Amino acid sequence: MSEGNENLVLEAKGLSKSFRLGDGSIRVLADADIRLEEASSLSIQGSSGCGKTTLLNLLARLEKADEGKVSWDGYEMEASSSPSSRESVMRADFLGVVYQAYYLIPELNVLENILMAARLSAGANRESMDRARSLLSRMGVSDKERQIPTKLSGGERQRVAIARALINNPRVLLADEPTGNLDERTGGQVMDLLLATCNEEKTGLILVTHNPSFAEAADSRVFLKEGKLSSRWEPEAEETKANDEDN
Amino acid sequence: MVPWPLYLAWKQLFPSGKKVSFFSLLSIVGVALGVNVMIVVIAFMQGFQQKFRKDIINAQGHARVVPLKPYADWSEIPARLRHAENVEGVTPYLQAQLLLQSGDYHAIPFCMGLQPEDGDEVLPVDDFLEEGMLRLQAHDAEDVTPLPTMEMLEDDVVFLSSQTANRLGVRPAAVVQVYEGNASLPESTGKRSVKVARLDPYVESGEWELLFEDQESCLVREAISGDEFTWETGEGPLDMGFGYPVFELSGGGKPFVAGDRFLFQVFKANKIEIFSPSMIEQAKADELIPPREVRVGGIFEVPWQGFQMEALIGTMRLMADMRAQESACDGFYLKFSGPVARDEAKLQAKCRELELVLEEDWAVVPWFVENAWFFELLKFEEYLMVLIMIPIGLVAAFAIAIALMTTVLRKIREIGLLVAMGGSRFSVGMVFCLQGFVIGSIGAILGCGLAILFIRYREVIMTFIVERIAGSDGQAGVAQFYDFHSLDVPFPWESSESLSTFLSFALFSVLVSTVAGLLPAWRATRLNPADALRSE
Ligand SMILES: Nc1ncnc2c1ncn2[C@@H]1O[C@H](COP(=O)(O)OP(=O)(O)O)[C@@H](O)[C@H]1O
Ligand SMILES: [Mg+2]
């Protein structure tokens, strides 16, 4: 680690990833760097299919990169190696994840879904139960505690998913287009909650979104294009196109 | 604390907000039925073995002593055997090959000679006679023949198995009480009555009328001979000696009144003629020997005859006469008490011990050695059953494996999510393996419960099934060979054999179901979480 990076909670250097496609291959990430400071938020924008999800997967060590390094709280990992079981254990406490399609477990009710994440870490106990309840009320869905996920609206589901991602007090929350399935108004509410809660909880946030106004709300803002991250402003045309797709 | 894979496995089978998932219900019921069937079949097989064991010991005692060398005198052998510890009874026997004839009918039964004075301490002949008792049927009369007993056995009297009696068309003496006309009502109404206390094999046919003149004295009249005399009931039973029925008072305490009238019809016993091989020898020497004439003293049924349905029991002396061998003996039946009677290993050791007591001139053969062929057959049948049922169990396992496999495919994204939330791939795989385990365990418990219910209510169930298959007539036939009613099928807490049957099948189902979960588990483990999360 280089000096001056003490407050970096997540860092990736020189990430490259290409997928085999028939005879050839497509290069999704090329020498991408990313840095997230403790308790800060970062938004990633980019056109559809440019590799945002792939980037998050590499940061979460769910997928092997071709090259590069990822470090969680200063613990550096070779991104091209298979995730070790130690990383699995770390992941439970270090990361929270929120996806566009919520991925709530249909056999568990809302409270059990949230506690499931706790079970995967330290285990469910009184404390985690209390925390789950307070997160639910923070998310404004405390009355849905015993509800089955399939009976919730999209907005409610995503609120529950955010509560689940936060139950273990993760250092970083990775959110992959969390409002992608929601209408503008609900999406706005959910996004406000997400940003505000991460801020309160001092949880770092990496937010992938198509919506420039949501992206703007983050502490910093980067763009993924041609496999590289940059803070440069994107051409107007591409931005509009992305917005259209989002809605 | 419950490990999360077990928690999630449980929840997938029994989701929140729903009682049970359809898949788990079906799988559990399937496993339970399979376990139930396997246990019940084997428990019944063991019940049959137990029953045959009991029947064989009843019919043959615990062991048989057979001579290995020609012997001079066997008379002190029983005393020597009886002297040994745990020997409860010794009964010498003599067998013979005899041809029976009655009118135009012949039979060559298995003939066994016993000593009446030995009673039925080793071979429960009285029970066999009770089992074989055939009552005459009539609408206004009741067969009141007293049960024949071993005591009635004499040199001129034989007992026949019901098959032999049927073949020859013979029966023992019988007496019916007639209720027609103004005869008094049967004893069962609780009134004072007269009953036949003894009917020996020598009685003549006759019609007896007992007419009370007052409460003490009774006019007795026999219609065929015209005999007539008065019975003072205060003097005790009316015993006119051999060849006559013995009457005695029975029933309630109300005194007789003048005009109380009892009618009995006596049918004499059939006679049969017996020929023996020794007679043929004598006939060759131009000696003309008349056949031996004996009376049928009773009809018996032995639960176990080693497939010798046609049998005759007579005295040892009768057999010796027919074989023309003075005081011969083919061996002894032995009955033991205490641990020797219960434990086969101890019995075997005891038999060896007795052989030494008898200085190795006699072999002492335990029942299970003598009938080994039969028990090997039963064991073979049992193993065959297990062999047939194991593939059935495996088929059930395949069904579970396939169902869990579809669950894995349905839940690909959740599997990815579990990894993303910090679950190891191994633990995620365990979720599916444990589902198999939970299904197997619950199924095993339910299956054992069902099996206990089935054993508890086997009579009701079997009667119902057998009636459906064989009809109510056929039921008697099925019951004769597969006597479910008297079948001793122990509960697991009653016998260690039953307990081990229950446990091994329960374990088998848990094991097989868990193994069935392995393939889906492996599939889940192999999933790339990133791909899993991406899949639609
Ligand atoms: N497992 C894979 N195999 C082949 N190509 C893949 C795979 N995963 C993603 N890709 C490709 O990589 C590119 C980036 O995908 P993704 O990261 O999902 O984009 P985004 O999230 O920005 O829309 C896409 O072109 C996609 O088709
Ligand atoms: Mg994406």
Side-chain angles (χ1 to χ4, degrees):
Chain A
M1 276 221 191
S2 49
E3 64 286 358
N5 287 348
E6 280 79 38
N7 60 346
L8 281 187
V9 66
L10 184 92
E11 187 181 18
K13 280 184 285 189
L15 284 181
S16 296
K17 174 78 182 173
S18 43
F19 289 107
R20 204 161 299 145
L21 205 71
D23 293 334
S25 67
I26 51 164
R27 199 166 164 86
V28 179
L29 293 172
D31 200 20
D33 296 332
I34 196 166
R35 296 154 67 89
L36 181 70
E37 282 178 30
E38 201 170 339
S40 73
S41 56
L42 169 75
S43 70
I44 301 174
Q45 276 174 281
S47 58
S48 213
C50 72
K52 304 179 294 292
T53 299
T54 306
L55 176 62
L56 291 192
N57 282 343
L58 295 183
L59 293 178
R61 297 282 290 128
L62 292 173
E63 200 162 22
K64 284 191 281 185
D66 301 334
E67 263 177 275
K69 287 184 172 24
V70 173
S71 55
W72 292 349
D73 244 351
Y75 177 77
E76 196 173 82
M77 294 160 282
E78 205 60 56
S80 57
S81 66
S82 296
S84 67
S85 59
R86 160 136 199 237
E87 288 167 32
S88 275
V89 176
M90 281 179 68
R91 188 187 298 130
D93 293 320
F94 179 78
L95 275 186
V97 284
V98 176
Y99 294 96
Q100 180 175 354
Y102 332 117
Y103 297 155
L104 295 174
I105 297 174
E107 287 88 359
L108 305 180
N109 67 29
V110 163
L111 191 62
E112 289 164 343
N113 258 289
I114 296 170
L115 287 172
M116 191 65 221
R119 286 176 190 275
L120 283 153
S121 151
N125 49 31
R126 268 248 73 82
E127 242 172 273
S128 52
M129 178 85 86
D130 292 343
R131 177 158 167 77
R133 290 223 164 91
S134 79
L135 280 169
L136 275 176
S137 75
R138 181 71 188 83
M139 290 294 137
V141 282
S142 50
D143 55 330
K144 297 290 190 315
E145 188 178 300
R146 303 265 159 218
Q147 192 65 274
I148 298 301
T150 47
K151 291 185 181 160
L152 297 177
S153 72
E156 286 166 337
R157 288 189 208 191
Q158 199 58 292
R159 289 163 199 244
V160 173
I162 293 168
R164 176 176 66 182
L166 290 170
I167 181 87
N168 292 329
N169 275 315
R171 306 275 287 136
V172 175
L173 198 151
L174 303 180
D176 191 356
E177 299 184 40
T179 58
N181 281 2
L182 303 177
D183 60 70
E184 181 77 34
R185 217 173 72 88
T186 320
Q189 290 167 350
V190 168
M191 192 56 74
D192 288 347
L193 268 172
L194 176 64
L195 287 165
T197 318
C198 283
N199 202 29
E200 287 160 23
E201 303 263 336
K202 304 258 172 289
T203 302
L205 172 68
I206 295 184
L207 172 68
V208 168
T209 180
H210 281 305
N211 191 319
S213 58
F214 298 162
E216 219 165 324
D219 298 339
S220 47
R221 199 173 171 193
V222 292
F223 300 90
L224 181 60
K225 190 156 186 238
E226 279 152 13
K228 284 203 190 320
L229 287 163
S230 63
S231 44
R232 265 188 302 115
W233 196 253
E234 287 301 300
E236 201 64 27
E238 197 146 4
E239 189 107 1
T240 323
K241 185 183 153 231
N243 271 340
D244 288 344
E245 267 174 41
D246 203 8
N247 297 331
Chain B
M1 202 182 61
V2 188
W4 73 263
L6 182 58
Y7 168 80
L8 194 57
W10 181 269
K11 278 295 180 183
Q12 298 209 329
L13 295 173
F14 305 101
S16 293
K18 256 209 255 175
K19 290 250 157 45
V20 60
S21 83
F22 188 60
F23 154 68
S24 42
L25 190 72
L26 277 189
S27 326
I28 288 170
V29 167
V31 171
L33 287 180
V35 169
N36 170 46
V37 165
M38 292 197 260
I39 290 177
V40 165
V41 167
I42 297 306
F44 268 67
M45 300 284 292
Q46 287 168 350
F48 281 125
Q49 286 180 30
Q50 222 42 44
K51 173 184 151 57
F52 286 129
R53 181 195 149 102
K54 211 173 84 198
D55 288 350
I56 287 176
I57 291 172
N58 268 339
Q60 307 181 340
H62 287 111
R64 213 151 61 99
V65 182
V66 289
L68 292 174
K69 305 173 184 164
Y71 52 89
D73 182 19
W74 56 268
S75 54
E76 34 80 63
I77 303 278
R80 275 163 73 185
L81 288 170
R82 241 181 263 273
H83 197 68
E85 205 189 340
N86 284 328
V87 174
E88 202 178 65
V90 183
T91 293
Y93 68 90
L94 185 63
Q95 294 167 349
Q97 268 80 49
L98 303 176
L99 170 70
L100 311 188
Q101 183 179 7
S102 165
D104 293 335
Y105 300 104
H106 294 91
I108 308 178
F110 165 81
C111 298
M112 171 65 67
L114 300 172
Q115 298 186 127
E117 61 268 29
D118 288 335
D120 70 343
E121 100 193 303
V122 178
L123 307 182
V125 177
D126 288 355
D127 293 344
F128 301 164
L129 287 167
E130 186 175 349
E131 196 66 35
M133 186 73 190
L134 268 177
R135 300 267 174 205
L136 299 172
Q137 304 280 334
H139 77 280
D140 55 358
E142 188 186 349
D143 191 328
V144 291
T145 314
L147 276 178
T149 62
M150 186 71 176
E151 280 166 34
M152 283 164 53
L153 195 63
E154 289 178 42
D155 295 347
D156 292 339
V157 175
V158 294
F159 300 142
L160 299 178
S161 74
S162 53
Q163 288 86 354
T164 314
N166 283 342
R167 179 182 288 269
L168 295 172
V170 294
R171 49 164 186 73
V175 54
V176 296
Q177 187 170 1
V178 183
Y179 303 131
E180 43 120 76
N182 56 348
S184 296
L185 288 169
E187 194 186 335
S188 53
T189 55
K191 255 194 84 176
R192 268 219 116 168
S193 184
V194 173
K195 74 168 190 184
V196 178
R198 199 188 74 205
L199 197 69
D200 65 58
Y202 301 96
V203 290
E204 286 301 321
S205 295
E207 286 167 27
W208 296 84
E209 181 188 9
L210 285 81
L211 182 64
F212 279 84
E213 291 165 323
D214 55 51
Q215 55 170 295
E216 289 285 288
S217 61
C218 173
L219 187 67
V220 181
R221 207 167 16 212
E222 200 282 301
I224 296 173
S225 63
D227 287 349
E228 197 177 311
F229 50 91
T230 302
W231 171 27
E232 297 298 337
T233 58
E235 290 168 11
L238 176 60
D239 187 345
M240 295 162 280
F242 251 39
Y244 294 92
V246 173
F247 295 103
E248 80 183 6
L249 301 184
S250 74
K254 252 169 86 181
F256 288 107
V257 294
D260 275 350
R261 184 164 164 268
F262 300 91
L263 291 177
F264 293 96
Q265 185 133 23
V266 174
F267 303 93
K268 67 174 181 186
N270 285 121
K271 289 178 191 170
I272 53 177
E273 292 179 331
I274 305 182
F275 300 86
S276 74
S278 74
M279 289 177 177
I280 300 170
E281 290 305 309
Q282 285 164 295
K284 279 184 195 159
D286 275 346
E287 286 177 57
L288 257 183
I289 315 285
R292 180 77 174 250
E293 206 178 62
V294 294
R295 283 162 200 262
V296 180
I299 293 176
F300 66 87
E301 252 174 44
V302 183
W304 170 259
Q305 291 152 323
F307 295 124
Q308 273 162 337
M309 302 299 217
E310 294 204 4
L312 173 150
I313 295 175
T315 61
M316 261 182 103
R317 205 154 40 227
L318 172 67
M319 300 303 155
D321 283 355
M322 298 310 288
R323 279 168 57 161
Q325 281 176 308
E326 211 46 49
S327 70
C329 173
D330 283 340
F332 309 91
Y333 288 116
L334 295 183
K335 198 143 210 170
F336 296 100
S337 61
V340 177
R342 287 190 298 271
D343 187 320
E344 292 181 11
K346 291 201 174 100
L347 177 57
Q348 183 119 42
K350 189 77 194 174
C351 288
R352 184 69 200 127
E353 183 193 318
L354 290 180
E355 281 178 348
L356 296 175
V357 168
L358 299 177
E359 284 140 17
E360 313 244 10
D361 293 340
W362 301 72
V364 184
V365 188
W367 65 270
F368 51 85
V369 172
E370 190 153 343
N371 298 284
W373 62 274
F374 183 73
F375 282 88
E376 271 157 24
L377 208 72
L378 284 184
K379 268 277 169 234
F380 174 73
E381 231 172 54
E382 190 183 324
Y383 291 145
L384 207 66
M385 285 291 180
V386 173
L387 232 77
I388 291 168
M389 285 186 300
I390 282 177
I392 295 176
L394 293 182
V395 169
F398 283 132
I400 294 173
I402 291 167
L404 283 175
M405 202 72 183
T406 43
T407 319
V408 170
L409 297 179
R410 211 154 35 83
K411 297 199 172 294
I412 282 185
R413 296 189 305 175
E414 285 163 38
I415 291 169
L417 177 88
L418 287 169
V419 177
M421 290 200 307
S424 69
R425 290 197 189 187
F426 174 79
S427 304
V428 172
M430 282 303 280
V431 172
F432 295 92
C433 200
L434 285 170
Q435 282 189 48
F437 173 78
V438 169
I439 289 170
S441 306
I442 298 177
I445 291 168
L446 288 181
C448 288
L450 267 181
I452 287 170
L453 281 182
F454 204 101
I455 291 172
R456 173 76 181 72
Y457 295 104
R458 61 182 179 277
E459 273 182 42
V460 186
I461 298 168
M462 286 320 297
T463 310
F464 180 80
I465 293 174
V466 171
E467 236 172 64
R468 286 308 107 122
I469 298 171
S472 39
D473 294 338
Q475 205 187 342
V478 174
Q480 190 185 346
F481 290 97
Y482 297 99
D483 195 348
F484 297 103
H485 303 269
S486 68
L487 206 57
D488 186 24
V489 183
F491 291 106
W493 53 88
E494 286 172 347
S495 106
S496 60
E497 192 182 30
S498 168
L499 183 66
S500 75
T501 305
F502 272 73
L503 286 183
S504 37
F505 283 117
L507 204 71
F508 175 75
S509 88
V510 173
L511 215 74
V512 159
S513 311
T514 310
V515 169
L518 279 180
L519 189 70
W522 180 76
R523 183 76 174 71
T525 312
R526 285 287 309 271
L527 281 176
N528 177 340
D531 291 343
L533 284 167
R534 228 185 266 275
S535 81
E536 279 307 311

